[in-house]
Amino acid sequence: MEYSGLVLVGVFFFLLLLNVPISFSIGVATIATMLYSIDFMPAMTTVAQRLAGGINSFALLAIPFFVLSGLIMGQGGIAKRLIECAMALIGMLPGGLALVNVLSCTLFGAISGSAVAATSAIGSFMIPQMEKNGYDKNFATAVTGAAATTGMLIPPSNILIIYAIASGGVSIAALFVAGYLPGMLVATALMIVCAGYSKLKGYPTGARLPLKVVLEKVLAAIPSLLLIFIVIGGIIGGVFTATEAGAIAVLYSLALSVGFYKEVKIKQLPEILLKAGETTAIVMLLIGASSAMSWILSYENIPQTISDFLLTLSENPLLILLLINLALIIVGAFMDMTPAVLIFTPIFLPVATELGMSPLHFGIMIVLNLSIGLCSPPVGSVLFVGCAVAKTTIEKIIRPLLPLYLAMFVVLMLVTYIPGISEFLPKFFGLY
């Protein structure tokens, strides 16, 4: 058993070092481990079955719908209206533009379901705007990258759907509702840091707008924000499932971006559909390959071995959860969220449940943890997008990122050790 585990880990990380795409690294490592453990034909048949079976889920149909709706809204003028709304509401506070950046990224990330899209759409406007008003460009880039990750917790979120599949049946509706409080906590913590940092550096405060202008900006953003309420309200009310909510999100985003705002032209739709198909194919290949890897992990009893090892290190559940979080932070710095959730959920979830943590609580913890990895070098995708938008380098934004990292880590610890932050809303609405 221990040798098969070494084969799996060794082949996987060796291929990653060679820059082999992660889905192929997972697949080849799984096949190598299968061949080490069982004969050729049963091994290849099992891999094929698990690849197909891994994506044979009705719940996964929600992913292409939410990807498509996010792409449509990403080009539909949503970002501009959200920024103007945030500017009208909080632009006059200390570090106003930094706070606007955080709130805009949070709202856009939640609507689009993509941290990369939020970084690109919000960052392309807010980073130059902040620099023009006297803010340091690297600080502006750091704020954009950190704040964009909050959309991973606030639904509609594809990564929460993927965790629901990886965990073996946690309610997607419960996960969606559970992400609200942690997501808002992260955004609040980032705003506190931005306000303090801006005051320390003497960054300017925005002008207070007349009430009439504030109301106009808020009203202009309401149609965009309604998507969140339609999706969650329908799921909570039992009107439709998460998958059906994805289809409704596509219809709503089309009506809003093509019909109401008129920012997306009909001739642009084929390109958007093609991009949605490409993104979905990448995600589905990752899910299929990771499902095969999860099977071999279970077959070789590797999660149970790791669970027993961790539980022998200490009898203190607080320490074990801290070790899991530290391990996931390291994983998140080197691996994208989707494969990390698919691979490490079967490994660490048994340990968490053994310690009395619910699968719902653990799901929010792992997604929040790996969200930090999205803005962490060397693999953090939002860092690369943010730096490309701002025309700066990752090395230059690390220093202003540190206090933002600290704020996110503090919230992670709160979410880890206070189950009510994740579980209160699902229990209140009778979803868990």
Side-chain angles (χ1 to χ4, degrees):
M1 179 180 64
E2 61 271 16
Y3 293 118
S4 57
L6 287 174
V7 171
L8 184 69
V9 173
V11 173
F12 176 64
F13 283 103
F14 174 72
L15 292 173
L16 284 183
L17 289 173
L18 295 178
N19 287 324
V20 175
I22 192 163
S23 53
F24 292 101
S25 298
I26 293 170
V28 173
T30 301
I31 292 172
T33 310
M34 290 271 198
L35 292 174
Y36 178 83
S37 304
I38 56 182
D39 292 336
F40 179 80
M41 282 306 296
M44 300 307 292
T45 303
T46 302
V47 171
Q49 288 174 338
R50 296 297 159 180
L51 277 168
I55 58 175
N56 184 24
S57 169
F58 178 73
L60 287 178
L61 283 174
I63 291 177
F65 287 131
F66 284 128
V67 167
L68 179 56
S69 69
L71 288 172
I72 294 170
M73 298 195 83
Q75 297 187 31
I78 312 300
K80 178 178 68 176
R81 290 167 176 83
L82 292 177
I83 290 170
E84 290 176 350
C85 175
M87 192 87 72
L89 291 173
I90 60 174
M92 77 295 298
L93 298 176
L97 283 180
L99 303 186
V100 168
N101 197 342
V102 173
L103 183 57
S104 301
C105 283
T106 300
L107 294 174
F108 190 83
I111 290 170
S112 68
S114 170
V116 171
T119 305
S120 176
I122 303 298
S124 60
F125 178 86
M126 285 305 304
I127 293 173
Q129 190 73 11
M130 289 177 70
E131 187 180 8
K132 180 182 175 182
N133 282 270
Y135 288 78
D136 178 63
K137 178 171 67 175
N138 298 312
F139 171 67
T141 308
V143 171
T144 305
T149 64
T150 56
M152 299 297 95
L153 286 164
I154 302 175
S157 170
N158 289 333
I159 197 65
L160 289 176
I161 297 171
I162 290 169
Y163 170 77
I165 303 300
S167 64
V170 179
S171 165
I172 295 175
L175 283 166
F176 273 13
V177 174
Y180 273 106
L181 285 181
M184 289 188 289
L185 267 179
V186 174
T188 302
L190 292 175
M191 284 184 176
I192 292 171
V193 170
C194 286
Y197 190 93
S198 299
K199 198 170 183 62
L200 183 67
K201 294 289 186 179
Y203 292 144
T205 300
R208 187 181 296 273
L209 298 176
L211 181 59
K212 181 182 177 182
V213 176
V214 172
L215 290 175
E216 287 175 356
K217 300 299 183 185
V218 172
L219 288 172
I222 284 177
S224 305
L225 296 173
L226 272 178
L227 175 66
I228 301 174
F229 294 100
I230 290 171
V231 169
I232 296 303
I235 292 173
I236 292 174
V239 179
F240 40 72
T241 65
T243 302
E244 292 162 347
I248 290 167
V250 171
L251 293 175
Y252 182 80
S253 60
L254 274 172
L256 189 64
S257 300
V258 178
F260 187 70
Y261 289 151
K262 301 186 188 304
E263 300 267 356
V264 174
K265 308 300 180 185
I266 297 294
K267 63 182 180 181
Q268 294 177 274
L269 292 180
E271 183 182 349
I272 293 173
L273 287 167
L274 181 60
K275 190 172 182 181
E278 291 173 353
T279 303
T280 301
I282 292 168
V283 173
M284 292 302 178
L285 181 58
L286 275 170
I287 292 172
S290 298
S291 297
M293 178 178 275
S294 296
W295 185 90
I296 194 64
L297 286 171
S298 178
Y299 178 81
E300 296 293 347
N301 212 29
I302 292 173
Q304 187 60 46
T305 302
I306 294 174
S307 175
D308 293 341
F309 171 72
L310 285 173
L311 294 172
T312 58
L313 288 178
S314 172
E315 296 181 357
N316 187 342
L318 302 181
L319 178 59
I320 295 175
L321 288 175
L322 178 62
L323 291 174
I324 291 174
N325 271 310
L326 292 175
L328 288 172
I329 284 174
I330 294 170
V331 167
F334 291 93
M335 189 180 294
D336 194 45
M337 285 186 78
T338 299
V341 166
L342 290 165
I343 293 169
F344 290 96
T345 294
I347 292 175
F348 289 128
L349 181 57
V351 182
T353 53
E354 185 75 20
L355 298 172
M357 178 181 276
S358 70
L360 175 74
H361 181 193
F362 179 77
I364 300 301
M365 185 194 86
I366 191 174
V367 169
L368 172 53
N369 190 308
L370 294 172
S371 293
I372 298 174
L374 285 176
C375 55
S376 301
V379 180
S381 52
V382 299
L383 286 187
F384 291 103
V385 174
C387 288
V389 169
K391 294 181 173 58
T392 186
T393 62
I394 289 177
E395 292 79 8
K396 291 180 180 178
I397 68 170
I398 292 300
R399 188 171 179 179
L401 258 176
L402 292 178
L404 301 171
Y405 279 140
L406 180 60
M408 296 173 80
F409 185 78
V410 168
V411 175
L412 174 63
M413 292 297 99
L414 291 174
V415 169
T416 299
Y417 297 120
I418 305 176
I421 296 175
S422 302
E423 297 176 352
F424 172 73
L425 287 179
K427 288 180 178 177
F428 179 80
F429 289 109
L431 297 172
Y432 192 70

